[in-house]
Amino acid sequence: NMSRKVGLCLVLLLVFSAILTAQQLTIKGDPVALSAPGEYFMAPQWSPDGSQLAVGGGNYRGIYLISFPSAKMSVLTEETGAGFRLAWSPNGDAIAARVSSYENNTKRSQLVLLYLDGTRQALSEAQQSFRGVPVWSRSGEFVYLNSSKLFQPYMLSVERATSLAGELPYLKNFEIYLRDLATGTESKAVNTEEKVLYLEISPTETQYVYSTASENLYVADLDGTNNRNLGRCSSPSWSPDGSWIACMVTEDDGHVITQSDIHLYQAQTGVINVLTNTPDIHELHPAWSPDGNWIAYENEVDGRIWAVEIEGGER
């Protein structure tokens, strides 16, 4: 009868409302400043243990380490380009970076490991037209480059070279390929009509997120299936459990950024959670802490690194 239908509808509404409420993540307290005013830093990346962040200087020159939560800062390197898409080793003892130098007006770049103890290891020769950004294998056995012209694992030791196994999605010439590490065979995983600029495998290694030149964000299973468009967003960062993706939605006038905010997407449902809505603050390059409790970001307006505490929902 009608009363039962109304009662059922109310129950369903309450359940749906509870689900949406559980899915909402919010900022707890005020943002915490991690760098001083008057200095410009970019694109924070958390260390695996969450004890510090690595950031690039202005124009990605240099890599600086910020202790968390004390905000004490030290310099790892001041080399050109080092701060662009730097990559922490899984055990946190080193950072892989592509550094550049100029000789007779000729730019040369190379892939290096910068150890936190101050030592350094070159993984490639300095060369022209050296393209790609460093990514570590989950085991830490090798580093490879996304967006390069071909796949090349830079092994950390010869003894480990025989242990390549499994399937790895990666970027080659701005397209997504799935490579069998044992055999070296590969196939195009996803057909896209535009360049793919960024790809990050989830912490659970079951799916990956990627963004395109038009700043659309997609999620796909590891083999390229179940590909879905989450909407306009870029610079994605996974939550530690792989359930959420933090990213930035920017607006510009063709020359400079006029607005940027952090959005959160629930990877399985596509539920959008607008974390910041601050016209006078341009939050860029969000990075989720390893414990899931903080998101660090760069404020393009003041050049400082900030972090906000996250509460609510499952992550």
Side-chain angles (χ1 to χ4, degrees):
N1 58 35
M2 183 60 68
S3 62
R4 287 183 178 177
K5 290 182 179 179
V6 171
L8 180 59
C9 287
L10 287 173
V11 170
L12 290 175
L13 282 173
L14 287 172
V15 170
F16 185 66
S17 175
I19 291 173
L20 286 179
T21 301
Q23 290 172 340
Q24 295 301 305
L25 302 181
T26 57
I27 294 174
K28 178 182 179 181
D30 296 325
V32 176
L34 298 178
S35 65
E39 301 178 355
Y40 199 98
F41 298 103
M42 308 175 72
Q45 292 291 337
W46 293 88
S47 63
D49 66 359
S51 67
Q52 55 189 329
L53 298 102
V55 299
N59 295 319
Y60 297 106
R61 183 180 182 87
I63 296 175
Y64 302 81
L65 302 177
I66 303 175
S67 298
F68 184 80
S70 68
K72 292 181 180 179
M73 182 173 291
S74 60
V75 181
L76 185 62
T77 182
E78 294 183 326
E79 293 170 278
T80 300
F84 181 72
R85 300 274 181 87
L86 60 89
W88 283 94
S89 63
N91 66 5
D93 69 338
I95 291 175
R98 192 189 66 181
V99 300
S100 299
S101 59
Y102 292 85
E103 184 178 344
N104 298 324
N105 293 322
T106 299
K107 180 181 179 181
R108 296 180 181 275
S109 301
Q110 69 177 148
L111 181 63
V112 299
L113 294 186
L114 303 169
Y115 289 90
L116 269 59
D117 65 6
T119 58
R120 170 194 179 98
Q121 178 184 355
L123 294 183
S124 74
E125 299 291 332
Q127 53 194 288
Q128 292 178 254
S129 303
F130 188 68
R131 198 174 76 187
V133 293
V135 184
W136 287 83
S137 65
R138 290 292 181 188
S139 61
E141 293 178 339
F142 64 91
V143 177
Y144 62 98
L145 295 172
N146 263 341
S147 300
S148 62
K149 296 179 181 179
L150 51 84
F151 180 83
Q152 180 177 346
Y154 294 89
M155 308 303 300
L156 302 194
S157 66
V158 176
E159 293 78 15
R160 294 177 176 179
T162 58
S163 65
L164 291 179
E167 291 186 320
L168 179 72
Y170 82 106
L171 294 184
K172 181 175 73 173
N173 292 325
F174 305 106
E175 294 183 298
I176 303 173
Y177 285 80
L178 186 66
R179 184 179 184 88
D180 186 313
L181 293 174
T183 64
T185 58
E186 63 183 27
S187 59
K188 190 179 293 186
V190 176
N191 289 316
T192 57
E193 297 179 354
E194 55 183 326
K195 289 183 178 180
V196 178
L197 302 183
Y198 188 90
L199 182 150
E200 185 178 347
I201 302 170
S202 71
T204 58
E205 299 187 70
T206 57
Q207 53 189 340
Y208 53 82
V209 60
Y210 65 94
S211 57
T212 62
S214 63
E215 297 187 347
N216 278 311
L217 198 69
Y218 297 81
V219 172
D221 291 347
L222 210 61
D223 61 0
T225 60
N226 197 22
N227 187 41
R228 51 213 185 272
N229 187 347
L230 296 182
R232 186 172 172 271
C233 218
S234 58
S235 193
S237 173
W238 286 99
S239 64
D241 67 357
S243 61
W244 289 86
I245 300 165
C247 54
M248 63 185 191
V249 176
T250 61
E251 303 290 343
D252 62 71
D253 61 6
H255 301 282
V256 297
I257 293 173
T258 58
Q259 185 168 345
S260 182
D261 287 296
I262 298 173
H263 289 203
L264 307 179
Y265 284 87
Q266 194 167 55
Q268 295 302 322
T269 65
V271 169
I272 303 173
N273 191 167
V274 180
L275 188 68
T276 65
N277 186 11
T278 50
D280 298 328
I281 300 174
H282 301 168
E283 297 95 345
L284 301 177
H285 306 297
W288 221 306
S289 66
D291 64 7
N293 293 329
W294 295 84
I295 290 179
Y297 58 88
E298 154 204 349
N299 179 3
E300 190 264 345
V301 175
D302 64 14
R304 300 175 75 182
I305 302 298
W306 297 79
V308 289
E309 192 171 4
I310 305 300
E311 66 177 354
E314 298 292 332
R315 61 191 186 282

